[in-house]
Amino acid sequence: AQLLGLWHRVEELSRKGMDFHSVVRQLSYLLDERRRERDVPPPHSTGQLSVLTIHSAKGLEFPHVILIDFIGKASPQNMPLLFWDRERGVYLGQRDESGARDRDDPVEAEWREFERKKNLSESMRIFYVALTRAKERLVMVCPPLPEKVKGKVKVKIKEKIQPETAFKNDNWRAWIECS
């Protein structure tokens, strides 16, 4: 609902004749004010701006693109029991008598690492698609870093991103900061 509310807010600002920069400034102001969309109005299709997923934007280009990176984006956390690769074939993970997976099996560990690298490569391809949709300007909006409470004061946690490890995890912010 929040994303749909944002979509409708952008359409509303666009219909009022605001250009790209004005819409971004207005959204930034609303975020600073911590305003939330209370009601989600019905969709309008007369606006100048399009809100798309990365997958639906494949093959399209736009003068300006705002890319939003979500902290909790979906990623495959649980590894499959059945692994498959065109070149390597198929591997079925083993279970013990109680039905639990054998996490110490070196063959399965190798397949899990292969699966992790495959998922990371796919994420990088998707990120590349997102970055290359803009003809003139790309704005990437990263979520604020998490806050840690020390006493009564909230302190921003600044992760020290190491270039040698940045590209081993699905973390768009790290990829940008280390590039």
Side-chain angles (χ1 to χ4, degrees):
Q2 291 176 348
L3 184 57
L4 190 57
L6 175 63
W7 180 335
H8 295 309
R9 173 69 64 179
V10 168
E11 283 186 329
E12 175 188 328
L13 296 172
S14 180
R15 273 194 318 282
K16 289 181 179 178
M18 295 178 88
D19 66 357
F20 175 79
H21 302 290
S22 301
V23 170
V24 172
R25 277 193 297 275
Q26 182 67 22
L27 290 177
S28 177
Y29 168 76
L30 294 172
L31 287 172
D32 288 343
E33 295 288 314
R34 299 208 185 282
R35 292 192 187 171
R36 298 185 70 173
E37 300 298 328
R38 300 285 180 223
D39 299 311
V40 179
H44 300 285
S45 59
T46 58
Q48 299 171 348
L49 303 177
S50 300
V51 178
L52 306 168
T53 65
I54 295 170
H55 293 288
S56 63
K58 284 182 184 175
L60 303 175
E61 289 185 324
F62 304 94
H64 307 284
V65 171
I66 300 175
L67 178 61
I68 301 173
D69 184 22
F70 296 101
I71 286 180
K73 37 180 200 276
S75 62
Q77 297 297 328
N78 295 329
M79 288 293 161
L81 185 60
L82 180 66
F83 297 91
W84 178 82
D85 178 61
R86 287 180 195 250
E87 296 172 10
R88 297 177 69 188
V90 177
Y91 175 76
L92 179 61
Q94 304 299 312
R95 293 187 180 262
D96 61 18
E97 294 81 29
S98 67
R101 291 179 76 163
D102 182 5
R103 298 279 180 191
D104 297 327
D105 179 15
V107 176
E108 184 169 341
E110 181 183 324
W111 277 94
R112 280 197 311 269
E113 179 61 14
F114 177 76
E115 187 75 15
R116 187 193 69 76
K117 287 179 180 177
K118 191 168 68 171
N119 290 336
L120 182 59
S121 294
E122 178 62 17
S123 185
M124 287 180 173
R125 280 189 290 276
I126 291 170
F127 187 55
Y128 175 80
V129 166
L131 293 177
T132 57
R133 300 307 91 201
K135 290 182 188 176
E136 297 173 27
R137 178 164 293 129
L138 172 70
V139 176
M140 185 169 168
V141 179
C142 292
L145 294 171
E147 294 179 347
K148 182 179 183 181
V149 178
K150 287 188 175 183
K152 294 183 178 180
V153 180
K154 288 185 177 181
V155 179
K156 294 268 186 203
I157 300 170
K158 177 65 176 167
E159 300 171 14
K160 186 156 186 149
I161 299 171
Q162 301 298 327
E164 57 273 6
T165 59
F167 298 99
K168 293 182 180 180
N169 297 307
D170 188 358
N171 183 342
W172 294 4
R173 178 182 289 200
W175 298 346
I176 292 292
E177 288 183 11
C178 292
S179 292

